Amino acid sequence: PYTSKNLYSFTSLNDGAAPSAPLIQAKDGYFYGTTQLGGEYGDGSLFKVDSAGNVTPLHEFNGSDGEGSISSLVQASDGNFYGTTSWGGAYNEGTIFKMDTSGNLKTLYSFTGGNDGGNISSSLIQGKDGYLYGTAFNGGTSSSGTIFRIDLLGNFTTLYSFSGGTDGYGPEAPLIQAADGLFYGTTLEGGNLSCEVWPGSGCGTIFSIDANGNLTTLYSFSGGPDGANPSEALFEATDGAIYGTTLFGGDASCNVSTYTGCGTIFKIDQAGSFTPLHAFTGGADGGVPFSSLIQAGDGDFYGTDTAGGDPSCSVVASGENYATYVGCGTVFK
């Protein structure tokens, strides 16, 4: 009874190529998305598509206005779409842009790679105060990434620069704003610097930060049963706890990837009390979850992982970040 239908195949021309971020459905009913490649200049594009698969190209990046958008758009309270690019702009360190429903684009900010940050891989979110908040993987005072905010006119503020030490290195995932008004997020590395599951120092952290830039490190991953290297957005559930996934760590006997462990699912409260919920085995339950969780109407959590499942699957010979995987992944709850 369930079927899959291909709505559109990208051509790498003005429609773009290699879309790697989720679509969003806007107030006008269309779905809007980004591509990291293709377009006239090969720098990616922005598009909209209806439920019948009719695609309308809206903008082709040309490098000077950005290059390589790998994050979702967000439709802000003014009706415009806001997004980021990982490269391009005035300093080739990425941009923040806004676009209207007709495709008219304005670059709001070009990252310098300095104290403001650089190489944005995550989506923006609009806070309850109307500002847009985001993370930069690189740059900052210690070249370890930043947290920033920007208003809808383009006025930019760096809120926090990671040190690369116990506070973390490399915030890769979008922030979330919880019911308490604080923002929560993760860093891919840093924290416990004796942990080196990933080819770098530290196994990542979970943090909270207020709108003034006051950051609290809530948890540092050890690379053991708790997991290592969170890369996707956290999620606040109806029970008030915050849930997330890690790429590695957990079950040390898992050999799905070239790194130790196949990842975990965890929850943490706002005070930093941490509970591991599941360690992937790399077998039927899968492993290496490059995805955020969602909570459905039945109260359960759903997600996907990159590896594990059917061990006879040979479609995926190598995966992201240089790990070699066995199996083609699963959908789990």
Side-chain angles (χ1 to χ4, degrees):
Y2 297 99
T3 60
S4 175
K5 179 182 179 182
N6 178 19
L7 290 181
Y8 187 79
S9 295
F10 287 89
T11 67
S12 190
L13 300 176
N14 63 344
D15 56 350
S20 61
L23 299 170
I24 65 164
Q25 188 170 26
K27 297 173 183 176
D28 61 7
Y30 284 94
F31 300 93
Y32 289 76
T34 65
T35 71
Q36 59 177 314
L37 300 173
E40 181 178 356
Y41 307 97
D43 294 327
S45 69
L46 304 172
F47 64 90
K48 70 178 180 180
V49 58
D50 63 22
S51 58
N54 299 300
V55 165
T56 302
L58 295 173
H59 182 78
E60 299 170 73
F61 289 104
N62 61 25
S64 64
D65 60 358
E67 175 186 347
S69 182
I70 60 174
S71 59
S72 295
L73 300 170
V74 58
Q75 188 172 27
S77 53
D78 62 359
N80 291 314
F81 300 94
Y82 293 80
T84 62
T85 65
S86 296
W87 305 100
Y91 307 96
N92 200 31
E93 293 285 345
T95 67
I96 301 172
F97 61 84
K98 78 172 180 179
M99 180 188 70
D100 64 21
T101 54
S102 297
N104 298 303
L105 184 137
K106 178 181 180 181
T107 302
L108 291 180
Y109 189 78
S110 287
F111 288 89
T112 69
N115 290 348
D116 55 348
N119 308 130
I120 319 305
S121 60
S122 64
S123 305
L124 302 171
I125 66 165
Q126 187 169 32
K128 297 173 184 177
D129 57 7
Y131 286 94
L132 300 172
Y133 290 81
T135 62
F137 188 80
N138 291 317
T141 55
S142 300
S143 299
S144 298
T146 66
I147 300 171
F148 61 84
R149 74 179 180 198
I150 187 169
D151 68 19
L152 303 187
L153 298 177
N155 298 301
F156 181 95
T157 302
T158 302
L159 293 176
Y160 188 81
S161 287
F162 289 92
S163 71
T166 56
D167 60 345
Y169 171 90
E172 188 171 60
L175 300 171
I176 66 165
Q177 188 172 26
D180 61 5
L182 295 176
F183 299 91
Y184 291 81
T186 61
T187 64
L188 186 65
E189 300 175 42
N192 179 2
L193 299 183
S194 65
C195 175
E196 294 187 1
V197 170
W198 188 273
S201 295
C203 287
T205 67
I206 304 170
F207 62 83
S208 66
I209 187 170
D210 66 21
N212 295 317
N214 299 302
L215 183 137
T216 301
T217 301
L218 296 174
Y219 189 78
S220 292
F221 289 92
S222 72
D226 58 344
N229 310 115
S231 75
E232 302 301 321
L234 300 171
F235 175 78
E236 185 178 30
T238 53
D239 63 0
I242 293 171
Y243 292 76
T245 61
T246 68
L247 295 176
F248 304 115
D251 183 352
S253 67
C254 177
N255 60 0
V256 162
S257 77
T258 56
Y259 304 129
T260 303
C262 291
T264 64
I265 302 171
F266 63 84
K267 74 175 180 179
I268 188 169
D269 66 19
Q270 285 78 354
S273 179
F274 182 95
T275 305
L277 297 176
H278 180 77
F280 290 96
T281 68
D285 62 341
V288 194
F290 273 98
S291 66
S292 301
L293 299 171
I294 63 168
Q295 187 173 26
D298 60 5
D300 289 333
F301 300 94
Y302 292 78
T304 62
D305 44 26
T306 306
D310 181 356
S312 67
C313 178
S314 59
V315 171
V316 180
S318 62
E320 293 187 58
N321 298 297
Y322 315 107
T324 300
Y325 302 147
V326 177
C328 292
T330 69
V331 180
F332 62 83
K333 76 169 181 176

